[in-house]
Coordinates of all heavy atoms in Angstrom, one line a residue:
M5 N 4.0 37.0 90.1 CA 2.9 37.5 89.3 C 2.7 39.0 89.4 O 2.6 39.5 90.5 CB 1.6 36.7 89.7 CG 0.5 36.7 88.7 SD -0.9 35.8 89.2 CE -0.2 34.1 89.2
P6 N 2.6 39.7 88.3 CA 2.6 41.1 88.4 C 1.2 41.6 88.8 O 0.2 41.0 88.7 CB 2.8 41.6 86.9 CG 2.5 40.4 86.1 CD 2.7 39.2 86.9
L7 N 1.2 42.8 89.4 CA 0.0 43.5 89.9 C -0.4 44.5 88.9 O 0.4 45.4 88.5 CB 0.3 44.1 91.2 CG -0.9 44.6 92.1 CD1 -1.8 43.5 92.5 CD2 -0.4 45.3 93.3
Y8 N -1.7 44.5 88.4 CA -2.2 45.4 87.5 C -3.2 46.3 88.1 O -3.9 45.9 89.0 CB -2.7 44.7 86.2 CG -1.7 44.0 85.5 CD1 -1.5 42.6 85.6 CD2 -0.8 44.7 84.6 CE1 -0.5 42.0 84.9 CE2 0.2 44.0 83.9 CZ 0.3 42.7 84.1 OH 1.3 42.0 83.4
E9 N -3.3 47.5 87.7 CA -4.3 48.5 88.2 C -5.3 48.8 87.2 O -5.0 49.0 86.0 CB -3.5 49.8 88.7 CG -4.4 50.7 89.4 CD -3.7 51.8 90.1 OE1 -2.4 51.9 90.0 OE2 -4.3 52.6 90.8
Y10 N -6.6 48.8 87.7 CA -7.7 49.1 86.8 C -8.5 50.2 87.4 O -8.5 50.4 88.6 CB -8.6 47.8 86.6 CG -7.8 46.7 86.0 CD1 -7.0 45.9 86.8 CD2 -7.9 46.4 84.7 CE1 -6.3 44.8 86.3 CE2 -7.2 45.3 84.1 CZ -6.4 44.6 84.9 OH -5.7 43.5 84.4
V11 N -9.3 50.9 86.5 CA -10.2 51.9 87.0 C -11.6 51.6 86.5 O -11.7 51.2 85.3 CB -9.7 53.4 86.6 CG1 -9.7 53.5 85.1 CG2 -10.6 54.4 87.2
C12 N -12.6 51.8 87.3 CA -13.9 51.6 87.0 C -14.5 52.8 86.3 O -14.4 53.9 86.8 CB -14.8 51.2 88.2 SG -16.5 51.0 87.8
D13 N -15.1 52.6 85.1 CA -15.7 53.7 84.4 C -17.0 54.2 85.1 O -17.5 55.3 84.9 CB -16.1 53.3 83.0 CG -14.8 53.2 82.1 OD1 -13.8 53.9 82.4 OD2 -14.8 52.4 81.2
D14 N -17.6 53.4 85.9 CA -18.9 53.7 86.5 C -18.7 54.5 87.8 O -19.3 55.5 88.0 CB -19.7 52.5 86.8 CG -20.3 51.9 85.5 OD1 -20.5 52.6 84.5 OD2 -20.4 50.6 85.4
C15 N -17.9 54.0 88.7 CA -17.7 54.7 90.0 C -16.3 55.3 90.1 O -16.0 55.9 91.2 CB -18.0 53.7 91.2 SG -17.0 52.2 91.2
E16 N -15.5 55.1 89.2 CA -14.2 55.7 89.1 C -13.2 55.4 90.2 O -12.3 56.1 90.5 CB -14.3 57.3 89.0 CG -15.1 57.7 87.7 CD -15.1 59.2 87.6 OE1 -15.0 59.9 88.6 OE2 -15.3 59.7 86.4
I17 N -13.4 54.3 90.9 CA -12.4 53.8 91.8 C -11.3 53.1 91.1 O -11.6 52.5 90.0 CB -13.1 53.0 93.0 CG1 -13.6 51.6 92.4 CG2 -14.2 53.7 93.7 CD1 -13.9 50.6 93.4
R18 N -10.2 53.1 91.7 CA -9.1 52.3 91.2 C -8.9 51.0 92.1 O -9.1 51.1 93.3 CB -7.8 53.1 91.3 CG -7.7 54.1 90.2 CD -6.5 55.0 90.4 NE -6.3 56.0 89.3 CZ -5.4 56.0 88.4 NH1 -4.4 55.1 88.5 NH2 -5.3 56.9 87.5
F19 N -8.6 49.9 91.4 CA -8.4 48.7 92.2 C -7.3 47.9 91.5 O -7.0 48.1 90.3 CB -9.7 47.9 92.3 CG -10.3 47.5 91.0 CD1 -10.1 46.2 90.5 CD2 -11.1 48.4 90.3 CE1 -10.7 45.9 89.3 CE2 -11.6 48.1 89.1 CZ -11.4 46.8 88.6
E20 N -6.7 47.0 92.3 CA -5.6 46.2 91.7 C -5.9 44.8 91.6 O -6.7 44.3 92.5 CB -4.3 46.4 92.6 CG -3.8 47.8 92.6 CD -2.8 48.1 93.7 OE1 -2.8 47.4 94.7 OE2 -1.9 48.9 93.5
V21 N -5.4 44.1 90.6 CA -5.6 42.7 90.4 C -4.3 42.0 90.1 O -3.5 42.5 89.3 CB -6.6 42.5 89.2 CG1 -6.8 41.0 89.0 CG2 -7.9 43.1 89.5
L22 N -4.1 40.9 90.9 CA -2.9 40.1 90.7 C -3.2 39.1 89.6 O -4.0 38.2 89.9 CB -2.5 39.5 92.0 CG -1.0 39.0 92.2 CD1 0.0 40.2 92.0 CD2 -0.9 38.4 93.5
R23 N -2.5 39.1 88.5 CA -2.8 38.1 87.4 C -1.6 38.0 86.5 O -0.7 38.9 86.4 CB -4.0 38.6 86.7 CG -3.9 40.0 86.1 CD -5.1 40.3 85.1 NE -6.4 39.8 85.5 CZ -7.5 40.2 85.0 NH1 -7.5 41.1 84.0 NH2 -8.6 39.7 85.3
P24 N -1.6 36.9 85.7 CA -0.5 36.7 84.8 C -0.5 37.8 83.7 O -1.5 38.3 83.3 CB -0.7 35.3 84.2 CG -1.7 34.7 85.0 CD -2.5 35.8 85.7
A25 N 0.7 38.1 83.1 CA 0.8 39.1 82.1 C -0.1 38.7 80.9 O -0.6 39.6 80.2 CB 2.3 39.3 81.7
S26 N -0.2 37.5 80.6 CA -1.0 37.0 79.5 C -2.5 37.4 79.6 O -3.3 37.3 78.7 CB -0.9 35.5 79.3 OG -1.3 34.8 80.4
R27 N -2.9 37.7 80.9 CA -4.3 38.0 81.1 C -4.5 39.5 81.5 O -5.6 39.9 82.0 CB -4.9 37.1 82.2 CG -5.0 35.7 81.8 CD -5.7 34.9 82.9 NE -7.0 35.5 83.2 CZ -7.6 35.4 84.4 NH1 -7.0 34.8 85.4 NH2 -8.8 35.9 84.6
M28 N -3.5 40.3 81.3 CA -3.6 41.7 81.8 C -4.7 42.5 81.1 O -5.2 43.5 81.7 CB -2.2 42.4 81.7 CG -1.8 42.7 80.2 SD -0.2 43.5 80.2 CE -0.1 43.8 78.4
D29 N -5.1 42.2 79.9 CA -6.1 42.9 79.2 C -7.5 42.3 79.3 O -8.4 42.7 78.7 CB -5.7 43.1 77.8 CG -4.7 44.2 77.6 OD1 -4.7 45.2 78.4 OD2 -3.8 44.1 76.8
D30 N -7.5 41.2 80.1 CA -8.9 40.6 80.4 C -9.7 41.5 81.2 O -9.2 42.4 81.9 CB -8.7 39.2 81.1 CG -8.2 38.1 80.2 OD1 -7.9 38.4 79.0 OD2 -8.2 37.0 80.7
R31 N -11.0 41.3 81.2 CA -11.9 42.2 82.0 C -11.6 41.9 83.4 O -11.5 40.8 83.9 CB -13.3 41.9 81.6 CG -14.3 42.9 82.1 CD -15.7 42.5 81.9 NE -16.1 41.4 82.9 CZ -17.2 40.7 82.8 NH1 -18.0 40.9 81.8 NH2 -17.5 39.8 83.7
A32 N -11.6 43.0 84.2 CA -11.4 42.9 85.6 C -12.6 43.6 86.3 O -12.8 44.8 86.1 CB -10.1 43.5 86.1
D33 N -13.5 42.8 87.0 CA -14.7 43.4 87.5 C -14.3 44.3 88.7 O -13.5 44.0 89.5 CB -15.6 42.3 88.0 CG -16.3 41.6 86.9 OD1 -16.0 41.9 85.7 OD2 -17.0 40.6 87.1
C34 N -15.0 45.5 88.7 CA -14.9 46.4 89.8 C -15.4 45.7 91.1 O -16.3 44.9 91.1 CB -15.9 47.6 89.5 SG -16.2 48.7 90.9
P35 N -14.7 46.1 92.3 CA -15.1 45.5 93.6 C -16.6 45.8 93.9 O -17.2 45.1 94.7 CB -14.2 46.1 94.6 CG -13.0 46.6 93.8 CD -13.5 46.9 92.4
R36 N -17.1 46.8 93.3 CA -18.5 47.1 93.6 C -19.5 46.5 92.6 O -20.7 46.7 92.6 CB -18.7 48.6 93.6 CG -17.9 49.3 94.6 CD -18.1 50.8 94.6 NE -17.2 51.5 95.6 CZ -17.2 52.8 95.7 NH1 -17.9 53.6 95.0 NH2 -16.3 53.3 96.6
G37 N -18.9 45.6 91.7 CA -19.8 44.9 90.8 C -19.9 45.4 89.4 O -20.6 44.8 88.6
H38 N -19.3 46.5 89.1 CA -19.4 47.1 87.7 C -18.5 46.3 86.8 O -17.5 45.7 87.3 CB -19.0 48.5 87.7 CG -19.8 49.4 88.6 ND1 -19.3 50.1 89.6 CD2 -21.2 49.5 88.7 CE1 -20.2 50.8 90.3 NE2 -21.4 50.4 89.8
V39 N -18.8 46.2 85.6 CA -18.0 45.5 84.6 C -17.3 46.4 83.6 O -16.5 45.9 82.8 CB -18.8 44.4 83.9 CG1 -19.3 43.4 84.9 CG2 -20.0 45.0 83.1
S40 N -17.6 47.7 83.6 CA -17.0 48.6 82.7 C -15.7 49.2 83.3 O -15.7 50.2 83.9 CB -18.0 49.7 82.3 OG -17.4 50.6 81.4
T41 N -14.6 48.4 83.1 CA -13.4 48.8 83.7 C -12.3 48.9 82.6 O -12.4 48.2 81.6 CB -12.9 47.9 84.8 OG1 -12.8 46.6 84.2 CG2 -14.0 47.8 85.9
R42 N -11.2 49.6 82.9 CA -10.1 49.6 82.0 C -8.8 49.6 82.8 O -8.7 50.1 83.9 CB -10.2 50.8 81.0 CG -10.3 52.1 81.8 CD -10.8 53.2 80.8 NE -11.3 54.3 81.5 CZ -10.6 55.3 82.0 NH1 -9.3 55.4 81.9 NH2 -11.2 56.3 82.7
R43 N -7.8 49.1 82.1 CA -6.5 49.0 82.8 C -5.8 50.3 82.7 O -5.8 51.0 81.7 CB -5.6 47.9 82.1 CG -4.3 47.6 82.9 CD -3.7 46.3 82.4 NE -3.5 46.4 80.9 CZ -2.3 46.9 80.4 NH1 -1.4 47.3 81.2 NH2 -2.2 46.9 79.1
V44 N -5.1 50.7 83.8 CA -4.3 52.0 83.8 C -2.9 51.7 84.3 O -2.6 50.6 84.8 CB -5.0 53.0 84.7 CG1 -6.3 53.4 84.2 CG2 -5.1 52.5 86.1
L45 N -2.0 52.6 84.0 CA -0.6 52.4 84.4 C -0.6 52.6 86.0 O -1.5 53.3 86.5 CB 0.3 53.4 83.8 CG 0.4 53.3 82.3 CD1 1.3 54.4 81.7 CD2 1.0 51.9 81.9
S46 N 0.3 52.0 86.6 CA 0.3 52.1 88.1 C 0.6 53.5 88.5 O 1.3 54.3 87.9 CB 1.4 51.1 88.6 OG 2.7 51.7 88.4
T47 N 0.0 53.8 89.7 CA 0.2 55.1 90.3 C 1.6 55.3 90.7 O 2.1 56.5 90.8 CB -0.7 55.3 91.5 OG1 -0.6 54.2 92.4 CG2 -2.2 55.4 91.0
F48 N 2.4 54.3 90.9 CA 3.7 54.4 91.4 C 4.5 55.2 90.4 O 5.3 56.1 90.7 CB 4.3 53.0 91.6 CG 5.8 53.1 92.0 CD1 6.1 53.4 93.3 CD2 6.8 52.9 91.1 CE1 7.4 53.5 93.7 CE2 8.1 52.9 91.5 CZ 8.5 53.2 92.8
A49 N 4.4 54.9 89.1 CA 5.1 55.6 88.0 C 4.7 57.0 87.9 O 5.6 57.9 87.7 CB 4.9 54.9 86.7
T50 N 3.4 57.3 88.1 CA 2.9 58.7 88.0 C 3.5 59.5 89.2 O 3.9 60.6 89.0 CB 1.4 58.7 88.0 OG1 0.9 57.9 87.0 CG2 0.9 60.1 87.9
M51 N 3.5 58.9 90.4 CA 3.9 59.7 91.5 C 5.4 59.9 91.4 O 5.9 61.0 91.8 CB 3.7 58.9 92.8 CG 2.2 58.8 93.1 SD 1.8 57.7 94.5 CE 2.7 58.4 95.8
T52 N 6.2 59.0 90.9 CA 7.6 59.2 90.7 C 7.9 60.4 89.8 O 8.7 61.2 90.0 CB 8.3 57.9 90.2 OG1 8.0 56.9 91.1 CG2 9.8 58.1 90.1
R53 N 7.1 60.4 88.7 CA 7.3 61.5 87.7 C 7.0 62.8 88.4 O 7.7 63.8 88.2 CB 6.4 61.3 86.5 CG 6.8 62.0 85.3 CD 5.9 61.7 84.1 NE 5.8 60.3 83.9 CZ 4.6 59.7 83.8 NH1 3.5 60.4 84.0 NH2 4.5 58.4 83.6
D54 N 5.9 62.9 89.2 CA 5.6 64.2 89.8 C 6.7 64.6 90.8 O 6.9 65.8 90.9 CB 4.3 64.0 90.6 CG 3.1 63.9 89.7 OD1 3.2 64.3 88.5 OD2 2.0 63.5 90.1
E55 N 7.3 63.7 91.5 CA 8.3 64.1 92.4 C 9.5 64.8 91.7 O 10.2 65.6 92.3 CB 8.8 62.8 93.2 CG 7.8 62.4 94.2 CD 8.2 61.1 94.8 OE1 9.4 60.6 94.6 OE2 7.4 60.5 95.6
Y56 N 9.8 64.3 90.5 CA 10.9 64.9 89.8 C 10.6 66.1 89.0 O 11.4 66.7 88.4 CB 11.5 63.8 88.9 CG 12.4 62.8 89.6 CD1 11.9 61.5 89.9 CD2 13.6 63.1 90.1 CE1 12.6 60.6 90.6 CE2 14.4 62.2 90.8 CZ 13.9 60.9 91.0 OH 14.6 60.0 91.7
A57 N 9.3 66.5 89.0 CA 8.9 67.6 88.2 C 9.4 68.9 88.8 O 9.6 69.9 88.1 CB 7.3 67.7 88.1
D58 N 9.5 69.0 90.1 CA 10.0 70.2 90.8 C 11.1 69.8 91.7 O 11.0 69.8 92.9 CB 8.8 70.8 91.5 CG 9.2 72.2 92.1 OD1 10.2 72.8 91.6 OD2 8.5 72.6 93.1
P59 N 12.3 69.5 91.2 CA 13.4 69.0 92.0 C 14.0 70.1 92.9 O 13.9 71.3 92.6 CB 14.4 68.6 91.0 CG 14.2 69.4 89.8 CD 12.7 69.6 89.8
E60 N 14.5 69.7 94.0 CA 15.3 70.7 94.8 C 16.5 71.1 94.1 O 17.2 70.3 93.5 CB 15.7 70.0 96.2 CG 14.5 69.6 97.1 CD 13.9 70.9 97.7 OE1 14.7 71.8 98.1 OE2 12.7 71.0 97.7
P61 N 16.8 72.4 94.2 CA 18.1 72.9 93.5 C 19.3 72.2 94.2 O 19.3 72.1 95.4 CB 18.0 74.4 93.8 CG 17.1 74.6 94.9 CD 16.1 73.5 94.8
V62 N 20.2 71.8 93.4 CA 21.5 71.2 93.9 C 22.5 72.3 94.0 O 22.8 73.0 93.0 CB 21.9 70.1 93.0 CG1 23.2 69.5 93.5 CG2 20.9 69.0 92.9
S63 N 23.1 72.5 95.2 CA 24.1 73.5 95.3 C 25.3 72.9 96.1 O 25.1 72.3 97.2 CB 23.5 74.7 96.1 OG 24.6 75.6 96.4
G64 N 26.4 73.1 95.6 CA 27.6 72.7 96.4 C 28.2 73.8 97.2 O 29.2 73.6 97.9
G65 N 27.5 75.0 97.2 CA 28.0 76.1 98.0 C 29.1 76.8 97.5 O 29.7 77.7 98.1
C66 N 29.5 76.5 96.2 CA 30.7 77.2 95.6 C 30.3 78.2 94.6 O 31.1 78.8 93.9 CB 31.7 76.2 95.1 SG 30.9 75.3 93.7
G67 N 28.9 78.3 94.3 CA 28.5 79.3 93.3 C 28.7 78.8 91.9 O 28.6 79.6 90.9
G68 N 29.0 77.5 91.7 CA 29.2 77.0 90.3 C 30.6 77.2 89.8 O 30.9 76.9 88.6
G69 N 31.5 77.7 90.6 CA 32.8 77.9 90.1 C 33.8 76.8 90.1 O 34.8 76.8 89.4
C70 N 33.4 75.7 90.7 CA 34.3 74.5 90.7 C 33.9 73.5 89.7 O 32.9 73.6 89.0 CB 34.3 73.8 92.1 SG 32.7 73.0 92.4
T71 N 34.7 72.5 89.5 CA 34.4 71.5 88.4 C 34.1 70.1 89.0 O 33.8 69.2 88.3 CB 35.7 71.3 87.5 OG1 36.8 71.0 88.3 CG2 35.9 72.6 86.7
N72 N 34.2 70.0 90.3 CA 34.0 68.7 91.0 C 32.7 68.5 91.6 O 32.2 67.3 91.7 CB 35.1 68.5 92.0 CG 36.5 68.4 91.4 OD1 36.7 67.9 90.4 ND2 37.5 69.0 92.1
C73 N 32.0 69.5 92.0 CA 30.7 69.3 92.7 C 29.5 69.4 91.8 O 29.6 69.8 90.6 CB 30.5 70.3 93.9 SG 30.0 71.9 93.3
A74 N 28.4 69.0 92.2 CA 27.2 68.8 91.4 C 26.7 70.1 90.9 O 25.9 70.2 89.9 CB 26.1 68.1 92.2
C75 N 27.0 71.2 91.4 CA 26.5 72.5 91.0 C 27.0 72.9 89.7 O 26.4 73.8 89.0 CB 26.8 73.6 92.1 SG 28.5 74.0 92.3
S76 N 28.0 72.3 89.1 CA 28.6 72.7 87.8 C 28.0 71.9 86.7 O 28.2 72.1 85.5 CB 30.1 72.6 87.8 OG 30.5 71.3 88.0
V77 N 27.2 70.8 87.1 CA 26.7 69.9 86.1 C 25.7 70.6 85.2 O 25.6 70.5 84.0 CB 26.1 68.6 86.7 CG1 25.4 67.8 85.7 CG2 27.2 67.9 87.4
N78 N 24.8 71.4 85.9 CA 23.7 72.0 85.2 C 24.1 73.4 84.8 O 23.3 74.2 84.5 CB 22.4 71.9 86.0 CG 21.9 70.5 86.2 OD1 22.0 69.7 85.2 ND2 21.4 70.2 87.3
Ligands
ZN196 ZN1 -17.4 50.4 89.9

């Protein structure tokens, strides 16, 4: 069963709910009792994107002159 993430419009906390995909857009009550919540994409996908936003430079140590190492790809 997939895990969905929701954010509360009142206190802005994020919480996760384990539920069937057929119910992913059903209302999910905030743990603090608020009912004004909305579903958000998981933070896992967001964090992965941030990690790739500033990648480490790849260098094969050859200055880009060879055709076999990763430094010639870009
Ligand atoms: Zn709340």
